[in-house]
Amino acid sequence: MERFYPALSPRFAAFLDQLAGRQIAVVGHARPDGDCIGSQVALARVLRARGLDVVCLNPDPVPRRLQFLVGDVPFLRPAGFAADGHLAVYVDCADPDRPGQVVKAQFPAPFGNVDHHLSSAGFARHNFVDPTSAATAEILAGLFFDNGLPVDPGTAQGLYAGILTDTGQFRFNSTSRRCFLLAAELLARGANPTQAGYELYERESLGKLQLLQRFLASLKLECGGRVCIGLLPDGVYAATGTSPEDTEGMVDYTRAIDGVDIGALIEVRPDGIKASLRSKDPVYRLDLVAGQFNGGGHACAAGLTLQGARLDTFYPRLLAALEQQLRSPRGGEGASIT
C-alpha cells in the first residue's frame, strides 16, 4: 500500500519509540479549533493505547461544540499543572508562542511538534511539519495508518473532525485527494459524519446568531470592493451572552461576498486587537500579511494578535498592507494552502 507520508512516517515510528515509559503532555494552542482538539484527542488516544501516561494541555477550555470529541481524554489548563517529568508534544502550533507564555515557560524545549502551517517553525527536537496538508489531523491520520497504529472510533472521530473543519467541509483550496482517502478510511474505522456535522454546525446558541447579526451589520467594503472588513467591538460578548469561541467561522462571511478577494474580522479587546484574515486565492499570501503584525498562518487563512493596539491606528495599517498585497501578490511555491 502506498504511504500517505513516506518521508515523515519512518521518523514518526522512531519518535514514538523514544516516548516509551515517559509522561506526555499533548499541547494545543489558545482558542482551540476543531483541528487542534481533534488532533490532541487522537494523538492522546493512540499514545495511551501504547501504555503511556498522557494528558492534553490548553490555555483555554475545550469549546462547547467540540466537547463531544473529548471522551475520557484528560484536558488540563496550565495553571497548577506540574510539568516535571512530562515531554511536550505540540500539535497544530506554528510556533511555541501559540499555547501562551505559561506553557512556553513550562516547556522551554518541546520534544515533538506536528503541524501544517505555512509559517511553522521547527521549534521542537522532532518536527513533523507538512504545509501541503490541510490539517494537522490529516498528517496524524496519515502517520497512524502508515505505521499500522490502532485507530479506534474515538480516534477516528477526532481526526475526521479536524480534517472536516480545516478544509471548510472539504471545500477550501487545501482540500486534496489525500483528504478524501483519509476521510474514507476514518469512516471505515468508526468516524461518524452525521454526529460531527450536527455537533459542529447545527448546535448554535441564540447569542451566537445575535453576535453574527451584529458582525454582518458592521461589514464594510474597501479597496474598490475587493476587501471586506467586519468589526466586533469591545463589550459585544457581554451584550450577546457569548464568548470569543463563538466567532469561529464568522470571518468566512466576509470572503463569501461576490467580488471580494480578501476578508477580515477585527475583534477589539480591552487589551488590544485580534484579527482573522481570509482570501479566496492563495496568491495573496495572507500569512505574509499577518507576519507584518507578528502573526502568521496559511496563504488563504491567517491571524494576528496585537497587545495594546488601538482600532484607529491598526485599521489603516491593515488596510494599507492588504492594498499592497492586492497590487503586488506574493504567491509562489507552497502558496496553495488554506
Side-chain angles (χ1 to χ4, degrees):
M1 177 180 175
E2 181 181 354
R3 289 194 165 196
F4 292 105
Y5 293 95
L8 297 181
S9 289
R11 289 200 297 110
F12 189 72
F15 167 74
L16 291 180
D17 290 340
Q18 295 184 58
L19 299 181
R22 303 299 299 267
Q23 292 179 299
I24 310 299
V26 179
V27 179
H29 56 73
R31 294 178 68 165
D33 56 10
D35 190 25
C36 178
I37 297 299
S39 294
Q40 285 183 280
V41 167
L43 182 56
R45 293 180 68 90
V46 166
L47 294 180
R48 290 172 70 186
R50 294 171 67 88
L52 301 181
D53 182 358
V54 185
V55 298
C56 293
L57 188 64
N58 294 75
D60 294 317
V62 177
R64 174 187 60 84
R65 70 192 190 102
L66 297 174
Q67 290 173 359
F68 77 102
L69 297 173
V70 173
D72 62 352
V73 175
F75 273 78
L76 307 179
R77 305 285 293 280
F81 172 71
D84 295 343
H86 284 80
L87 293 179
V89 181
Y90 285 55
V91 297
D92 203 37
C93 295
D95 58 64
D97 294 323
R98 289 298 309 281
Q101 294 305 307
V102 174
V103 175
K104 185 177 181 180
Q106 290 173 323
F107 297 108
F111 192 73
N113 168 40
V114 185
D115 187 46
H116 71 120
H117 291 91
L118 192 60
S119 58
S120 188
F123 58 85
R125 186 181 306 178
H126 302 277
N127 297 284
F128 305 92
V129 177
D130 180 60
T132 70
S133 296
T136 298
E138 179 186 353
I139 299 173
L140 285 172
L143 295 177
F144 293 167
F145 292 141
D146 285 350
N147 287 289
L149 298 171
V151 175
D152 64 12
T155 303
Q157 188 74 321
L159 295 171
Y160 178 82
I163 295 172
L164 182 69
T165 53
D166 260 28
T167 58
Q169 302 174 69
F170 302 100
R171 59 188 173 85
F172 289 167
N173 181 268
S174 56
T175 307
S176 66
R177 175 177 177 268
R178 181 172 59 200
C179 292
F180 286 105
L181 291 174
L182 288 170
E185 186 61 32
L186 291 170
L187 263 62
R189 304 296 181 99
N192 186 333
T194 301
Q195 182 198 30
Y198 171 71
E199 296 284 354
L200 292 169
Y201 303 112
E202 297 183 14
R203 294 193 62 196
E204 305 293 7
S205 67
L206 177 61
K208 177 167 181 176
L209 296 183
Q210 293 171 337
L211 182 69
L212 175 61
Q213 182 181 38
R214 296 193 181 202
F215 175 69
L216 294 177
S218 77
L219 297 185
K220 183 179 181 181
L221 293 176
E222 303 277 13
C223 303
R226 296 182 65 190
V227 170
C228 179
I229 298 178
L231 300 173
L232 290 175
D234 186 24
V236 72
Y237 297 131
T240 56
T242 56
S243 67
E245 76 175 61
D246 290 304
T247 64
E248 182 69 26
M250 204 167 285
V251 66
D252 292 326
Y253 285 95
T254 60
R255 72 170 170 189
I257 299 172
D258 191 26
V260 168
D261 293 308
I262 298 175
L265 180 156
I266 299 176
E267 178 187 340
V268 181
R269 300 175 173 182
D271 59 349
I273 294 285
K274 182 182 186 301
S276 299
L277 310 176
R278 298 292 187 271
S279 72
K280 293 175 179 173
D281 193 323
V283 72
Y284 296 116
R285 289 298 301 273
L286 295 183
D287 59 304
L288 300 180
V289 175
Q292 298 179 44
F293 302 89
N294 297 319
H298 306 290
C300 288
L304 59 99
T305 301
L306 286 178
Q307 297 295 321
R310 294 171 34 141
L311 181 63
D312 59 350
T313 55
F314 171 75
Y315 193 100
R317 287 181 60 205
L318 176 64
L319 192 58
L322 295 177
E323 287 176 334
Q324 176 61 37
Q325 196 67 336
L326 288 172
R327 287 196 300 266
S328 304
R330 286 173 282 176
E333 183 179 356
S336 58
I337 311 301
T338 298

